[in-house]
Amino acid sequence: GGLGVGLGCKGLGTTDARRSEAGAIADGVEPPPVATIKQRYMARWTKEGAGATVRRIFPGPNVRHLDPFVLLDDFDVRRPAGFPMHPHRGFEAFTYMLEGAFFHRDNLGNESQIEAGGTQRFTSGSGAWHSEMPASHGRNRGLQLWINLPRRLKKMPPDYEGIAAKYMPTTQDGGVRTSEVVGPNSPVVMQTAMGYRTCSFPNKGACALVGPSGHQGLVYVLEGEIKMLGAVFKEGDVVIPSAGRLPLEAQAGTRVA
């Protein structure tokens, strides 16, 4: 199975959630069971690249990896720090920008600047070099995910694709703004089946996260505070749930991935 980062977010008020479940039962379709929290922990600060500090979501003492997902970092980099030219081989590095901008350059001849809401996908395959450097003078924040390529693709030709924010699908549902970073409606093409969404709450609200069957879910609080299954989670908290539906309440200004 793949990784459901942020799972799927559907905006629901408390009353709407009850109606939704009642409607599903009336139609003869059982709603997904309520999930449980298998694990929770705080992402840890670590140093990377040239003077950069990141919050490492995994691997770490709590979770070594979520095969085939090798690493997930929350980076917030300011000039002159960054990630100068370095090699990769055998996996994909996928970056989703949250704030500011990053400039990608590689030995394949690609040069690309991606701003907040856009993505960079670098498939190293048989081997390639690239650099990722902050392109604005303020905060340059994003999430970077490393995915191990299956054995049959380890020697594939390296490739890069940058997609601007204007091409990324977003929806507004019950006051919840959802960006489908990777999924059926997203232009992003990955070598591994996965879902990847971010949910923003401009105002206090509620939603239900639903992970696809057969996928391991992970929820990360980027900003703000959520209440889920009787527990409170704040910025930097990581939640690994079981399969099922995760009802949550969020404070105004909250963003989860």
Side-chain angles (χ1 to χ4, degrees), residues 1-7 57-58 65-72 145-147 182 192-197 211-212 214-219 239-241:
L3 178 70
V5 182
L7 306 170
I57 299 165
F58 66 81
H65 60 82
L66 292 169
D67 187 53
F69 302 93
V70 179
L71 171 146
L72 181 58
L145 177 67
W146 292 7
I147 309 107
V182 181
T192 299
M194 58 180 285
Y196 191 140
R197 292 172 174 82
H215 285 230
Q216 171 61 63
L218 181 144
V219 179
V239 181
I240 298 179

Side-chain angles (χ1 to χ4, degrees), residues 17-83:
R18 293 197 190 106
R19 286 175 182 164
S20 176
E21 289 192 9
I25 294 170
D27 293 338
V29 179
E30 287 291 332
V34 175
T36 59
I37 296 171
K38 294 165 59 177
Q39 197 170 359
R40 68 169 292 179
Y41 60 92
M42 176 73 72
R44 62 190 181 93
W45 293 104
T46 187
K47 294 189 179 298
E48 277 293 339
T53 302
V54 305
R55 258 182 170 160
R56 180 142 298 161
I57 299 165
F58 66 81
N62 298 285
V63 174
R64 292 181 61 85
H65 60 82
L66 292 169
D67 187 53
F69 302 93
V70 179
L71 171 146
L72 181 58
D73 279 346
D74 174 2
F75 63 85
D76 188 351
V77 183
R78 295 172 184 260
R79 292 175 172 174
F83 307 97

Side-chain angles (χ1 to χ4, degrees), residues 24 26 35 61 76 82 87 112 159 168 171 193 222 233 253:
D76 188 351
S112 170
D159 185 44
M168 304 302 292
T171 57
L222 289 160
F233 303 91

Side-chain angles (χ1 to χ4, degrees), residues 108-173:
L108 309 176
N110 297 300
E111 293 189 356
S112 170
Q113 180 170 313
I114 294 295
E115 299 178 354
T119 65
Q120 297 177 331
R121 188 260 304 151
F122 184 58
T123 306
S124 60
S126 59
W129 292 67
H130 76 150
S131 64
E132 302 156 293
M133 301 299 290
S136 81
H137 291 285
R139 297 182 68 182
N140 298 275
R141 187 184 183 194
L143 294 168
Q144 185 168 94
L145 177 67
W146 292 7
I147 309 107
N148 194 23
L149 288 170
R151 186 179 298 276
R152 62 185 174 81
L153 298 177
K154 289 284 188 184
K155 301 292 186 182
M156 71 179 291
D159 185 44
Y160 170 80
E161 184 177 36
I163 298 177
K166 65 181 180 180
Y167 299 112
M168 304 302 292
T170 60
T171 57
Q172 194 85 18
D173 183 1

Side-chain angles (χ1 to χ4, degrees), residues 216-245:
Q216 171 61 63
L218 181 144
V219 179
Y220 176 63
V221 184
L222 289 160
E223 296 168 331
E225 178 182 305
I226 62 173
K227 184 176 182 182
M228 189 164 56
L229 301 179
V232 174
F233 303 91
K234 299 184 179 182
E235 181 177 337
D237 276 331
V238 185
V239 181
I240 298 179
S242 66
R245 189 176 60 85

